[in-house]
Amino acid sequence: VTEGMSRTEVRTLLGEPHSTLLVGGEDVWRYARSPNDSHYRLRVVGFGADGRVVRINHFFRLEDEPP
């Protein structure tokens, strides 16, 4: 995913988002994938008023294993 891509292009690459929300006028799509119960990936794609990608963030969260 790169800045300037359309919603259709993002949906073709990543499929349907896990969740969507509106933040300060920006349409935000969230994609989450959990390789196991304690770790997960999160990709956040923000679209501007013209429907094009203006922001992309990636996170990988490692949770502590239970004792």
Side-chain angles (χ1 to χ4, degrees), residues 7 22 24-27 46-54:
R7 287 183 176 95
L22 193 60
E26 188 175 296
D27 187 16
F47 297 90
D50 64 355
R52 300 276 176 181
V53 173
V54 294

Side-chain angles (χ1 to χ4, degrees), residues 31-63:
Y31 291 88
R33 189 172 98 197
S34 178
N36 61 45
D37 291 337
S38 63
H39 307 345
Y40 63 91
R41 285 181 202 275
L42 179 65
R43 177 178 285 162
V44 179
V45 181
F47 297 90
D50 64 355
R52 300 276 176 181
V53 173
V54 294
R55 179 171 61 92
I56 307 135
N57 296 100
H58 304 269
F59 305 93
F60 187 72
R61 176 76 184 224
L62 299 172
E63 299 281 337

